Amino acid sequence: ISQDLIIPWVLKCLQISKPEIELARAYDNIFDGMMDDWPEEVKEEVTRFYVDGGWVSFAQHDFIRYLGSMAISDPAKCLKWLNRSLQVAKNLLQDSFSSSKIIEILLQSYNGLSEFGTKTPDLEFAMDLLDHIMQERKHSVRLETFLYKLDNA
C-alpha cells in the first residue's frame, strides 16, 4: 500500500475518532516502525495528534519505544513529547513497564543534552521531571534497578 494513501488515512483517523482502548492499541502500532520512512513533519503531526488527542492515555507501549529511539538522536524533541504525554496521560507513571522506560528515556535524553555542556531549558526540564518522578518511592526503586543494570552491563 502506498504511503501516499496511508498517511492521510492515519492522520484523519487520529483526528475524527474518539479515543478508546481498542483503537488506541491499533494506533499505538503506528509507532512500531511504520513511520520510519515518513517525512519528519508527518511524524511530528502524527505524534501531536496521538498525544494531544488523548490516545496515549489508552495505549503507549510502541509510542514509548518510539520516544526512546529519539532520546539520543533528538533529546530536546523527545523531552517535549515526553512532557506533553505525561500532561495528557497521568497514568503513564502508574504502570511499572511504562515508568521504567520513561525513567530510562529521561536519563538518556538528559545525557544527550548534557553532552553539549551548557545549561538549557530542556536540560533543566529533564532534571525537574526526574526530581518529580523520584519523589515517589516506587520510582526511585526503578531508578536504582536501572542504574544497577547499567553498572553491571
Side-chain angles (χ1 to χ4, degrees):
I1 298 177
S2 168
Q3 298 297 321
D4 294 335
L5 295 174
I6 292 174
I7 292 170
W9 180 80
V10 166
L11 292 171
K12 189 80 165 165
C13 288
L14 286 169
Q15 293 176 65
I16 62 169
S17 304
K18 183 178 177 189
E20 61 178 64
I21 189 79
E22 292 305 318
L23 277 176
R25 287 181 181 147
Y27 294 157
D28 184 48
N29 289 328
I30 294 167
F31 296 97
D32 186 21
M34 186 178 199
M35 296 194 315
D36 289 350
D37 298 328
W38 293 3
E40 285 303 314
E41 62 273 3
V42 173
K43 292 178 186 179
E44 186 83 6
E45 194 171 13
V46 168
T47 304
R48 181 172 49 86
F49 287 139
Y50 190 77
V51 172
D52 294 345
W55 296 99
V56 71
S57 297
F58 295 94
Q60 59 285 117
H61 182 79
D62 291 329
F63 178 72
I64 288 173
R65 286 196 333 217
Y66 173 72
L67 286 180
S69 72
M70 84 170 68
I72 297 192
S73 63
D74 195 345
K77 187 188 293 187
C78 176
L79 288 172
K80 172 185 114 174
W81 289 117
L82 181 58
N83 181 30
R84 282 172 72 170
S85 298
L86 291 171
Q87 289 173 0
V88 170
K90 308 285 187 203
N91 62 322
L92 283 181
L93 291 173
Q94 302 308 311
D95 176 69
S96 12
F97 170 80
S98 296
S99 64
S100 295
K101 287 295 184 188
I102 287 169
I103 290 168
E104 187 177 325
I105 290 167
L106 184 56
L107 292 172
Q108 288 174 338
S109 296
Y110 175 85
N111 286 335
L113 289 169
S114 64
E115 288 175 9
F116 301 119
T118 58
K119 204 170 194 181
T120 65
D122 291 324
L123 189 59
E124 288 184 33
F125 165 74
M127 291 186 302
D128 290 345
L129 183 55
L130 189 57
D131 285 343
H132 173 73
I133 291 172
M134 292 301 104
Q135 288 176 4
E136 286 191 45
R137 175 72 184 139
K138 66 182 178 181
H139 299 308
S140 63
V141 169
R142 290 186 183 114
L143 177 61
E144 290 167 8
T145 303
F146 172 76
L147 293 174
Y148 175 80
K149 288 178 185 176
L150 189 63
D151 282 345
N152 294 298

